[in-house]
Amino acid sequence: MQFDDKSRVEKAKKRAVVNQTEVRNRVELFRHLPQYEHGTQLPDLESKFFRNDPMHRAVYKVGLQYLAGDITGGNARCIAMLQAFSEAIRDYTTPAEKTLTRDLTAKIGSYVSFLIECRPLSISMGNAIRFLKNRIAKLPLTLSESEAKTSLCLDIDRFINEKIILADRVIVRHASTKIRDGDVLLTYGSSCVVEMLLSHALELGKKFHVVIVDSRPKLEGQSLLRRLVANGLNCTYTHLNAVSYIMHEVTRVFLGASSILSNGTVYSRVGTAAVAMVANAFSVPVLICCEAYKFHERVQLDSICFNELGDPQAVAKVSGRGDVNYLGSLGNKDNLQLLNLMYDATPSEYISMIVTDYGMIPPTSVPVIVREYCRDQLWI
Amino acid sequence: MDFQVVVLAGGFSKKLVPLVSKEVPKALLPVANRPVLSYVLDLLEQSNLKDLIVVVEGSDAAFRVGGWISAAYLDRLHVDVAPVPEDIGTAGALRAISHHLTARDILVVSGDLVSDVPPGAVAAAHRRHDAVVTATLCSNPVSGPADSGSSGAKDKTKKPGRNIIGLDPSRQFLLHIAAGAELEKDLRVQKSILRAVGEMELRADLMDAHLYAIKRSVLLEVLDQKETFQSIKKDVLPYLVRSQLVTGEANHLSGYSFSAHNNLIHPSAELGSKTTVGPHCLLGEGSQMGDKCSVKRSVIGRHCRIGSSVKIVNSVVMDHVTIGDGCSVQGSVVCSNVQLQERVTLKDCQVGASYVVTAGSEYRGESLAKKEK
């Protein structure tokens, strides 16, 4: 939904579970994206905990975790959401005079709207929901209610297992063949697949050095750094402003992705495009590790038409430095707008190779995989 | 949402002897002219928690509390009053009603809690982190003016119980809790917890607000295995906090202390000339005050007759009290139907219901009660 269309926004607000107040000072270019006041959302949702809502408790819990930022990362969010849906389906009973398929689809739709209000869906989650709705629609009518529910829960478990967990293992096995002794690898932010890859390569006994590039405001690289150092890897940590200085030492760049679009564009954490561009300028190969369920048939040419806006105040603050408050008095001025983008789009010419669970492919082969293996959204 | 609420309303507490009597169990003592239990019930009603279990010690007290609740909350709440034998402690009370507990998580509230922390926030934090126990902590209430220090030496039990509470750096997880009595000896901290978290902040200025969310299966298991546990605050909670490693964490929210009333005077109250009523005061309906009186930081109940030149500072005066001229009441609690004759001075005293204090007497730090026949 485009948020600069006032009538549709009003309609959506009436149906909303979470009370969101919109930020007053918004950047013109991004008016089509939702931007809400960050401080009031979580207390408001918490105080509504015992309201007479037809929301299942597992879904409410996952919504709270998204809102509070407890769960981050495309895979973790998708798995948490699917497991909550699985629990909700197990507790579901068909009301009288209604068919299971239609009513359950409507219920899942209402859960999804609630989760969108807590935090906009990532593209991988959208694919997973489409898969689930497809499975519900394809249930044979002869099945009894309990058989249908068990079949759906089994399908969800199979999706999580095959498309995420096993896919990650395959990607790690393929990509670790690309790491040689003496390599200096660079990664940006914190991707769970890249972390698994580096740990696996260390177990295989390869000798390499890792450079972790991080950026404000999220500073996700720090948790990755802690885990890798605890595992015994030699690491270097730096911020995005120094990437062009450190790139001449790097031999390969491994990046994660939130999604890969049909024209080979990689949609990932903001800053990835900068890293890929600098690597390209230094002729360093860039490898993206991404599971196939994150591919989408959409085409995106820039980072503006589809994105997510985070908390603008997080840009003004420096974590760990309470004394740095240069923007403190300027917070409410009308001619200052703070923008905190969460994602950006990396053009395909900066990518050397994409490692997926279907093998190692060039960026131009993404529409082939989408066409061949995602027929009818069955993801078989 | 799979939560069950249990309100622990106590019974006839021995510590509050002149204030509680046969007609007034602890749960119905008035705070700012409303029975203290009503604050808890109103808060739960606002959060849409309509099915409650109220546990009262002693069948007499249970009868009174049940009667008051059904009169005051007839259609608004569905309350089950469960009487339990006296003196078994809060954990014992839960043990006695354990067969009534069916939901996945139990919200345990003390009947004398006055706060505006929404129980939804506690429950949401409990669910979000999948915690075993979620406790609410607040800063210690500020104690009275310095001149009560002299009576403090005589009566050590008047000091609020101090706790040592250990929190993790993000102030969200509870790592250590030790209640007042064990403070004289050394402090023992679990090494495994410290190793797992790395950094622990120890604070002595926090108080347990007695609003817990506990997972039912764990609660019943602990109550079954540990027969000697009497109190949730002193036994069950420290045991659960000690036995946690990184899994099974507890959680804390910084709560709110007593909300200050900024001078609410009921419209039917009459004030004489030159009478001053300071901030943080409450005057009930129908009360009459004489001339040149001064009321500071106090609560005065309904239909009181207060004479002239009376000074009431930092005190609680309940309903239907008659105070003669020239009295001075400081830091005291005066129950209903009491008569204070002229020129009585009360300092840090507690006067039980229907007592008559003779003219010109001076009392410091005493509790006066009518002798039970």
Side-chain angles (χ1 to χ4, degrees):
Chain A
M1 185 172 91
Q2 299 291 81
F3 280 81
D4 46 3
D5 186 351
K6 280 229 162 98
S7 54
R8 292 190 72 187
V9 170
E10 290 299 319
K11 270 193 211 158
K13 245 194 188 169
K14 280 187 206 147
R15 284 173 290 164
V17 174
V18 189
N19 255 358
Q20 318 254 34
T21 47
E22 285 172 27
V23 166
R24 278 170 307 147
N25 214 2
R26 305 178 57 163
V27 179
E28 262 319 301
L29 196 58
F30 290 94
R31 267 191 183 272
H32 58 287
L33 298 172
Q35 168 101 74
Y36 299 116
E37 293 275 349
H38 263 248
T40 55
Q41 289 170 327
L42 188 58
D44 180 74
L45 200 60
E46 283 180 343
S47 60
K48 286 204 177 113
F49 195 72
F50 293 114
R51 240 180 51 172
N52 281 335
D53 249 340
M55 192 69 55
H56 191 267
R57 58 164 191 277
V59 178
Y60 209 94
K61 170 179 159 190
V62 168
L64 278 174
Q65 286 174 323
Y66 283 178
L67 199 51
D70 291 340
I71 301 186
T72 49
N75 283 345
R77 287 169 67 191
C78 192
I79 292 179
M81 177 188 76
L82 285 176
Q83 283 173 343
F85 283 169
S86 183
E87 222 186 292
I89 289 177
R90 239 171 276 146
D91 292 341
Y92 169 77
T93 46
T94 325
E97 313 279 329
K98 292 206 175 141
T99 52
L100 177 98
T101 47
R102 293 222 186 92
D103 190 56
L104 189 55
T105 314
K107 242 201 158 71
I108 299 277
S110 72
Y111 293 160
V112 170
S113 319
F114 169 69
L115 290 179
I116 292 179
E117 286 164 24
C118 293
R119 194 180 154 182
L121 292 181
S122 66
I123 297 181
S124 53
M125 290 164 72
N127 286 345
I129 292 169
R130 256 196 315 192
F131 161 79
L132 179 62
K133 287 193 175 166
N134 198 280
R135 293 312 294 170
I136 298 178
K138 290 243 156 60
L139 280 174
L141 291 168
T142 51
L143 283 184
S144 75
E145 185 180 309
S146 58
E147 283 174 0
K149 291 197 302 191
T150 356
S151 148
L152 282 176
C153 292
L154 277 178
D155 279 335
I156 292 179
D157 283 338
R158 200 165 57 102
F159 184 90
I160 294 178
N161 211 17
E162 286 176 15
K163 296 289 163 186
I164 305 180
I165 299 178
L166 286 179
D168 281 345
R169 282 195 216 144
V170 172
I171 291 174
V172 162
R173 205 152 45 101
H174 281 304
S176 50
T177 58
K178 293 293 174 186
I179 301 181
R180 295 174 301 202
D181 281 345
D183 264 346
V184 178
L185 308 174
L186 185 137
T187 183
Y188 176 75
S190 164
S191 165
C192 57
V193 193
V194 174
E195 185 185 339
M196 278 199 270
L197 164 67
L198 295 173
S199 313
H200 187 249
L202 185 70
E203 276 170 34
L204 290 178
K206 307 210 176 179
K207 307 265 179 291
F208 57 95
H209 191 98
V210 176
V211 178
I212 300 174
V213 179
D214 200 6
S215 78
R216 275 184 59 222
K218 287 198 131 184
L219 292 174
E220 292 170 322
Q222 286 184 350
S223 51
L224 175 68
L225 176 71
R226 231 171 249 141
R227 289 191 291 268
L228 291 180
V229 168
N231 271 347
L233 267 176
N234 292 328
C235 298
T236 300
Y237 176 84
T238 179
H239 277 209
L240 192 57
N241 57 336
V243 72
S244 53
Y245 297 105
I246 203 144
M247 195 53 83
H248 68 91
E249 293 181 355
V250 174
T251 54
R252 264 176 244 281
V253 174
F254 279 95
L255 299 170
S258 169
S259 162
I260 303 191
L261 308 171
S262 263
N263 59 342
T265 307
V266 173
Y267 184 75
S268 177
R269 177 66 72 220
V270 63
T272 312
V275 172
M277 189 172 67
V278 172
N280 193 46
F282 280 80
S283 310
V284 174
V286 174
L287 291 94
I288 307 281
C289 301
C290 177
E291 300 86 352
Y293 86 103
K294 289 182 179 168
F295 290 2
H296 201 276
E297 71 246 5
R298 205 168 69 200
V299 170
Q300 194 170 327
L301 301 174
D302 54 35
S303 317
I304 301 175
C305 61
F306 183 79
N307 210 319
E308 186 183 332
L309 293 177
D311 180 15
Q313 292 305 318
V315 175
K317 287 189 217 118
V318 181
S319 66
R321 293 283 304 275
D323 54 324
V324 173
N325 195 12
Y326 300 124
L327 290 182
S329 57
L330 298 175
N332 291 324
K333 288 254 163 94
D334 273 338
N335 52 354
L336 174 67
Q337 288 131 6
L338 296 169
L339 180 67
N340 184 5
L341 285 175
M342 306 275 277
Y343 294 101
D344 69 11
T346 309
S348 58
E349 47 263 21
Y350 298 150
I351 316 284
S352 315
M353 184 156 69
I354 302 179
V355 186
T356 75
D357 42 331
Y358 290 114
M360 298 195 273
I361 58 171
T364 46
S365 299
V366 171
V368 175
I369 300 233
V370 172
R371 191 183 65 228
E372 296 294 323
Y373 291 105
C374 311
R375 194 173 300 161
D376 295 334
Q377 273 80 50
L378 279 178
W379 297 97
I380 297 180
Chain B
M1 278 288 170
D2 232 2
F3 262 94
Q4 230 174 345
V5 186
V6 175
V7 180
L8 298 173
F12 292 113
S13 164
K14 296 219 177 54
K15 284 185 272 181
L16 298 170
V17 145
L19 301 177
V20 302
S21 60
K22 265 195 151 170
E23 291 84 37
V24 185
K26 181 176 107 156
L28 295 181
L29 273 183
V31 168
N33 296 336
R34 282 168 59 184
V36 72
L37 193 58
S38 69
Y39 289 99
V40 175
L41 294 181
D42 278 345
L43 186 67
L44 292 171
E45 187 190 352
Q46 263 172 14
S47 322
N48 209 33
L49 285 165
K50 303 261 166 108
D51 282 306
L52 319 171
I53 303 178
V54 175
V55 178
V56 188
E57 283 178 16
S59 41
D60 262 352
F63 180 66
R64 297 222 177 260
V65 172
W68 172 78
I69 292 179
S70 37
Y73 290 94
L74 187 52
D75 275 326
R76 289 149 59 183
L77 291 178
H78 175 250
V79 178
D80 271 325
V81 180
V84 293
E86 303 199 4
D87 276 343
I88 52 173
T90 44
L94 284 182
R95 212 176 276 130
I97 56 155
S98 51
H99 49 274
H100 285 302
L101 303 174
T102 51
R104 198 152 154 231
D105 291 290
I106 316 285
L107 207 59
V108 178
V109 188
S110 167
D112 54 2
L113 178 68
V114 178
S115 94
D116 51 357
V117 175
V122 179
H126 183 81
R127 276 286 159 74
R128 221 177 85 201
H129 296 270
D130 238 343
V132 166
V133 131
T134 303
T136 328
L137 304 172
C138 59
S139 3
N140 267 334
V142 179
S143 47
D147 52 68
S148 64
S150 53
S151 57
K154 259 200 270 175
D155 209 348
K156 279 213 175 121
T157 55
K158 282 210 183 146
K159 276 215 187 91
R162 305 226 312 171
N163 301 315
I164 299 263
I165 297 189
L167 303 171
D168 86 312
S170 70
R171 304 255 180 103
Q172 274 200 310
F173 297 106
L174 192 58
L175 302 176
H176 180 80
I177 184 163
E182 306 148 23
L183 279 189
E184 279 79 270
K185 312 169 200 147
D186 334 305
L187 191 64
R188 279 163 153 218
V189 175
Q190 294 284 95
K191 237 204 215 168
S192 52
I193 297 179
L194 205 47
R195 218 181 292 132
V197 179
E199 211 185 292
M200 177 158 85
E201 188 188 322
L202 284 172
R203 293 181 64 162
D205 62 339
L206 292 177
M207 189 175 83
D208 191 345
H210 223 285
L211 172 64
Y212 308 107
I214 315 180
K215 217 176 215 159
R216 179 183 70 105
S217 49
V218 175
L219 176 68
L220 293 182
E221 202 185 300
V222 169
L223 290 178
D224 267 337
Q225 283 176 3
K226 305 272 171 175
E227 295 280 326
T228 54
F229 276 1
Q230 289 270 17
S231 149
I232 299 182
K233 183 162 132 169
K234 291 195 199 111
D235 301 319
V236 177
L237 190 63
Y239 170 72
L240 286 174
V241 171
R242 270 199 309 272
S243 49
Q244 71 177 324
L245 288 172
V246 182
T247 53
E249 292 142 4
N251 203 319
H252 114 252
L253 294 170
S254 48
Y256 307 67
S257 32
F258 279 58
S259 42
H261 297 281
N262 271 323
N263 206 342
L264 291 169
I265 304 185
H266 197 277
S268 62
E270 283 168 28
L271 299 173
S273 61
K274 288 205 192 152
T275 296
T276 52
V277 179
H280 302 292
C281 284
L282 189 65
L283 270 179
E285 69 178 296
S287 289
Q288 283 173 1
M289 305 204 53
D291 313 323
K292 289 206 206 144
C293 293
S294 144
V295 180
K296 288 186 188 144
R297 283 200 309 266
S298 303
V299 174
I300 301 191
R302 295 184 209 90
H303 304 295
C304 290
R305 300 264 178 287
I306 301 182
S308 15
S309 308
V310 171
K311 256 175 65 170
I312 306 185
V313 174
N314 217 10
S315 306
V316 175
V317 176
M318 298 196 197
D319 311 329
H320 302 288
V321 170
T322 311
I323 301 186
D325 304 331
C327 287
S328 160
V329 180
Q330 276 186 48
S332 308
V333 180
V334 179
C335 290
S336 325
N337 289 315
V338 162
Q339 196 185 7
L340 295 179
Q341 296 179 339
E342 291 86 31
R343 286 165 289 121
V344 165
T345 310
L346 291 177
K347 213 167 158 181
D348 303 314
C349 296
Q350 295 169 17
V351 185
S354 310
Y355 194 76
V356 174
V357 183
T358 46
S361 42
E362 244 188 64
Y363 292 102
R364 261 172 216 265
E366 298 205 20
S367 49
L368 312 165
K370 216 168 154 171
K371 295 242 169 34
E372 297 276 341
K373 294 201 183 85

